[in-house]
Amino acid sequence: MPKLKTHSASKKRFKITGSGKVKRTNAYKNHILTKKSTKRKRNLRKGDIASAADAATIKKMLPYA
């Protein structure tokens, strides 16, 4: 069976944890930051876990993660 290709965009955006969950970064942290409060920007720094529905799709794109 041939090797599977890893989805290049996904490998830059997601990591699989030891327990098999998918870690992701929060959106809305790239630009137009002046109008966002410091508290909001600070909370956006923290990573998050992808939902179960999305995680299944992401794991297919990262076959060797």
Side-chain angles (χ1 to χ4, degrees), residues 25-41:
T25 53
N26 282 314
Y28 310 112
K29 186 64 175 68
N30 270 328
H31 59 104
I32 318 174
L33 296 172
T34 48
K35 64 173 81 167
K36 293 169 190 160
S37 70
T38 310
K39 180 180 179 179
R40 182 175 167 192
K41 289 186 281 190

PDB file of all heavy atoms in Angstrom, residues 25-41:
ATOM      1  N   THR A  25      -5.221  26.521  17.489  1.00  0.00           N
ATOM      2  CA  THR A  25      -5.100  27.880  18.008  1.00  0.00           C
ATOM      3  C   THR A  25      -6.410  28.617  17.755  1.00  0.00           C
ATOM      4  O   THR A  25      -7.195  28.228  16.892  1.00  0.00           O
ATOM      5  CB  THR A  25      -3.952  28.636  17.312  1.00  0.00           C
ATOM      6  OG1 THR A  25      -4.141  28.557  15.894  1.00  0.00           O
ATOM      7  CG2 THR A  25      -2.613  28.054  17.672  1.00  0.00           C
ATOM      8  N   ASN A  26      -6.630  29.669  18.525  1.00  0.00           N
ATOM      9  CA  ASN A  26      -7.856  30.451  18.364  1.00  0.00           C
ATOM     10  C   ASN A  26      -7.756  31.398  17.176  1.00  0.00           C
ATOM     11  O   ASN A  26      -6.671  31.890  16.847  1.00  0.00           O
ATOM     12  CB  ASN A  26      -8.128  31.260  19.627  1.00  0.00           C
ATOM     13  CG  ASN A  26      -8.707  30.404  20.729  1.00  0.00           C
ATOM     14  OD1 ASN A  26      -9.622  29.624  20.492  1.00  0.00           O
ATOM     15  ND2 ASN A  26      -8.157  30.517  21.926  1.00  0.00           N
ATOM     16  N   ALA A  27      -8.892  31.669  16.575  1.00  0.00           N
ATOM     17  CA  ALA A  27      -8.970  32.633  15.481  1.00  0.00           C
ATOM     18  C   ALA A  27      -9.077  34.053  16.057  1.00  0.00           C
ATOM     19  O   ALA A  27      -9.143  34.226  17.268  1.00  0.00           O
ATOM     20  CB  ALA A  27     -10.173  32.327  14.613  1.00  0.00           C
ATOM     21  N   TYR A  28      -9.100  35.045  15.172  1.00  0.00           N
ATOM     22  CA  TYR A  28      -9.283  36.460  15.522  1.00  0.00           C
ATOM     23  C   TYR A  28      -8.092  37.048  16.284  1.00  0.00           C
ATOM     24  O   TYR A  28      -8.267  37.954  17.092  1.00  0.00           O
ATOM     25  CB  TYR A  28     -10.578  36.672  16.336  1.00  0.00           C
ATOM     26  CG  TYR A  28     -11.776  36.039  15.706  1.00  0.00           C
ATOM     27  CD1 TYR A  28     -12.395  34.945  16.302  1.00  0.00           C
ATOM     28  CD2 TYR A  28     -12.268  36.504  14.490  1.00  0.00           C
ATOM     29  CE1 TYR A  28     -13.500  34.350  15.711  1.00  0.00           C
ATOM     30  CE2 TYR A  28     -13.374  35.917  13.890  1.00  0.00           C
ATOM     31  CZ  TYR A  28     -13.975  34.839  14.509  1.00  0.00           C
ATOM     32  OH  TYR A  28     -15.050  34.246  13.914  1.00  0.00           O
ATOM     33  N   LYS A  29      -6.894  36.559  16.028  1.00  0.00           N
ATOM     34  CA  LYS A  29      -5.727  37.065  16.752  1.00  0.00           C
ATOM     35  C   LYS A  29      -4.669  37.589  15.782  1.00  0.00           C
ATOM     36  O   LYS A  29      -3.526  37.818  16.168  1.00  0.00           O
ATOM     37  CB  LYS A  29      -5.156  35.923  17.619  1.00  0.00           C
ATOM     38  CG  LYS A  29      -4.029  36.283  18.567  1.00  0.00           C
ATOM     39  CD  LYS A  29      -4.463  37.256  19.637  1.00  0.00           C
ATOM     40  CE  LYS A  29      -3.387  37.530  20.671  1.00  0.00           C
ATOM     41  NZ  LYS A  29      -2.242  38.250  20.161  1.00  0.00           N
ATOM     42  N   ASN A  30      -5.009  37.801  14.500  1.00  0.00           N
ATOM     43  CA  ASN A  30      -4.000  38.177  13.516  1.00  0.00           C
ATOM     44  C   ASN A  30      -3.918  39.663  13.217  1.00  0.00           C
ATOM     45  O   ASN A  30      -2.828  40.209  13.156  1.00  0.00           O
ATOM     46  CB  ASN A  30      -4.245  37.420  12.208  1.00  0.00           C
ATOM     47  CG  ASN A  30      -3.508  36.103  12.183  1.00  0.00           C
ATOM     48  OD1 ASN A  30      -2.436  36.002  12.759  1.00  0.00           O
ATOM     49  ND2 ASN A  30      -4.072  35.102  11.550  1.00  0.00           N
ATOM     50  N   HIS A  31      -5.028  40.307  12.999  1.00  0.00           N
ATOM     51  CA  HIS A  31      -4.968  41.729  12.640  1.00  0.00           C
ATOM     52  C   HIS A  31      -6.193  42.448  13.182  1.00  0.00           C
ATOM     53  O   HIS A  31      -7.071  41.822  13.782  1.00  0.00           O
ATOM     54  CB  HIS A  31      -4.856  41.910  11.113  1.00  0.00           C
ATOM     55  CG  HIS A  31      -5.986  41.307  10.355  1.00  0.00           C
ATOM     56  ND1 HIS A  31      -7.006  42.040   9.808  1.00  0.00           N
ATOM     57  CD2 HIS A  31      -6.289  40.018  10.080  1.00  0.00           C
ATOM     58  CE1 HIS A  31      -7.862  41.219   9.206  1.00  0.00           C
ATOM     59  NE2 HIS A  31      -7.472  40.001   9.370  1.00  0.00           N
ATOM     60  N   ILE A  32      -6.228  43.757  13.025  1.00  0.00           N
ATOM     61  CA  ILE A  32      -7.253  44.626  13.620  1.00  0.00           C
ATOM     62  C   ILE A  32      -7.302  44.378  15.136  1.00  0.00           C
ATOM     63  O   ILE A  32      -8.358  44.118  15.716  1.00  0.00           O
ATOM     64  CB  ILE A  32      -8.648  44.429  12.969  1.00  0.00           C
ATOM     65  CG1 ILE A  32      -8.535  44.307  11.462  1.00  0.00           C
ATOM     66  CG2 ILE A  32      -9.580  45.592  13.314  1.00  0.00           C
ATOM     67  CD1 ILE A  32      -9.836  43.961  10.744  1.00  0.00           C
ATOM     68  N   LEU A  33      -6.140  44.460  15.777  1.00  0.00           N
ATOM     69  CA  LEU A  33      -6.047  44.142  17.197  1.00  0.00           C
ATOM     70  C   LEU A  33      -6.256  45.363  18.083  1.00  0.00           C
ATOM     71  O   LEU A  33      -6.461  45.212  19.287  1.00  0.00           O
ATOM     72  CB  LEU A  33      -4.675  43.523  17.504  1.00  0.00           C
ATOM     73  CG  LEU A  33      -4.409  42.181  16.818  1.00  0.00           C
ATOM     74  CD1 LEU A  33      -2.973  41.758  17.018  1.00  0.00           C
ATOM     75  CD2 LEU A  33      -5.347  41.113  17.303  1.00  0.00           C
ATOM     76  N   THR A  34      -6.213  46.564  17.500  1.00  0.00           N
ATOM     77  CA  THR A  34      -6.299  47.770  18.330  1.00  0.00           C
ATOM     78  C   THR A  34      -7.661  47.907  18.995  1.00  0.00           C
ATOM     79  O   THR A  34      -7.753  48.376  20.135  1.00  0.00           O
ATOM     80  CB  THR A  34      -6.014  49.027  17.491  1.00  0.00           C
ATOM     81  OG1 THR A  34      -6.792  48.975  16.295  1.00  0.00           O
ATOM     82  CG2 THR A  34      -4.547  49.102  17.118  1.00  0.00           C
ATOM     83  N   LYS A  35      -8.723  47.481  18.313  1.00  0.00           N
ATOM     84  CA  LYS A  35     -10.062  47.628  18.897  1.00  0.00           C
ATOM     85  C   LYS A  35     -10.420  46.505  19.861  1.00  0.00           C
ATOM     86  O   LYS A  35     -11.429  46.595  20.549  1.00  0.00           O
ATOM     87  CB  LYS A  35     -11.122  47.736  17.796  1.00  0.00           C
ATOM     88  CG  LYS A  35     -11.253  46.498  16.935  1.00  0.00           C
ATOM     89  CD  LYS A  35     -12.434  46.615  15.966  1.00  0.00           C
ATOM     90  CE  LYS A  35     -12.057  47.427  14.754  1.00  0.00           C
ATOM     91  NZ  LYS A  35     -13.055  47.303  13.669  1.00  0.00           N
ATOM     92  N   LYS A  36      -9.609  45.465  19.912  1.00  0.00           N
ATOM     93  CA  LYS A  36      -9.890  44.349  20.813  1.00  0.00           C
ATOM     94  C   LYS A  36      -9.254  44.625  22.169  1.00  0.00           C
ATOM     95  O   LYS A  36      -8.139  45.132  22.252  1.00  0.00           O
ATOM     96  CB  LYS A  36      -9.347  43.037  20.232  1.00  0.00           C
ATOM     97  CG  LYS A  36     -10.098  42.626  18.977  1.00  0.00           C
ATOM     98  CD  LYS A  36      -9.441  41.510  18.229  1.00  0.00           C
ATOM     99  CE  LYS A  36     -10.115  41.345  16.874  1.00  0.00           C
ATOM    100  NZ  LYS A  36      -9.300  40.647  15.913  1.00  0.00           N
ATOM    101  N   SER A  37      -9.951  44.259  23.222  1.00  0.00           N
ATOM    102  CA  SER A  37      -9.454  44.534  24.566  1.00  0.00           C
ATOM    103  C   SER A  37      -8.265  43.633  24.892  1.00  0.00           C
ATOM    104  O   SER A  37      -8.085  42.561  24.310  1.00  0.00           O
ATOM    105  CB  SER A  37     -10.555  44.311  25.601  1.00  0.00           C
ATOM    106  OG  SER A  37     -10.835  42.929  25.709  1.00  0.00           O
ATOM    107  N   THR A  38      -7.459  44.093  25.848  1.00  0.00           N
ATOM    108  CA  THR A  38      -6.289  43.323  26.275  1.00  0.00           C
ATOM    109  C   THR A  38      -6.708  41.967  26.818  1.00  0.00           C
ATOM    110  O   THR A  38      -6.067  40.959  26.548  1.00  0.00           O
ATOM    111  CB  THR A  38      -5.526  44.109  27.363  1.00  0.00           C
ATOM    112  OG1 THR A  38      -5.329  45.438  26.900  1.00  0.00           O
ATOM    113  CG2 THR A  38      -4.185  43.483  27.649  1.00  0.00           C
ATOM    114  N   LYS A  39      -7.796  41.948  27.560  1.00  0.00           N
ATOM    115  CA  LYS A  39      -8.288  40.694  28.142  1.00  0.00           C
ATOM    116  C   LYS A  39      -8.680  39.706  27.050  1.00  0.00           C
ATOM    117  O   LYS A  39      -8.380  38.509  27.142  1.00  0.00           O
ATOM    118  CB  LYS A  39      -9.486  40.990  29.037  1.00  0.00           C
ATOM    119  CG  LYS A  39     -10.087  39.774  29.714  1.00  0.00           C
ATOM    120  CD  LYS A  39     -11.265  40.175  30.572  1.00  0.00           C
ATOM    121  CE  LYS A  39     -11.899  38.969  31.226  1.00  0.00           C
ATOM    122  NZ  LYS A  39     -13.039  39.373  32.076  1.00  0.00           N
ATOM    123  N   ARG A  40      -9.362  40.218  26.027  1.00  0.00           N
ATOM    124  CA  ARG A  40      -9.786  39.361  24.913  1.00  0.00           C
ATOM    125  C   ARG A  40      -8.587  38.785  24.183  1.00  0.00           C
ATOM    126  O   ARG A  40      -8.533  37.593  23.876  1.00  0.00           O
ATOM    127  CB  ARG A  40     -10.660  40.180  23.972  1.00  0.00           C
ATOM    128  CG  ARG A  40     -11.217  39.423  22.794  1.00  0.00           C
ATOM    129  CD  ARG A  40     -12.156  40.325  22.025  1.00  0.00           C
ATOM    130  NE  ARG A  40     -12.495  39.783  20.730  1.00  0.00           N
ATOM    131  CZ  ARG A  40     -13.110  40.462  19.779  1.00  0.00           C
ATOM    132  NH1 ARG A  40     -13.441  41.729  19.971  1.00  0.00           N
ATOM    133  NH2 ARG A  40     -13.397  39.911  18.633  1.00  0.00           N
ATOM    134  N   LYS A  41      -7.580  39.618  23.912  1.00  0.00           N
ATOM    135  CA  LYS A  41      -6.381  39.158  23.200  1.00  0.00           C
ATOM    136  C   LYS A  41      -5.593  38.157  24.046  1.00  0.00           C
ATOM    137  O   LYS A  41      -5.061  37.180  23.518  1.00  0.00           O
ATOM    138  CB  LYS A  41      -5.495  40.353  22.833  1.00  0.00           C
ATOM    139  CG  LYS A  41      -6.086  41.211  21.732  1.00  0.00           C
ATOM    140  CD  LYS A  41      -5.150  42.286  21.291  1.00  0.00           C
ATOM    141  CE  LYS A  41      -5.135  43.457  22.247  1.00  0.00           C
ATOM    142  NZ  LYS A  41      -4.399  44.622  21.723  1.00  0.00           N
TER     143      LYS A  41
END
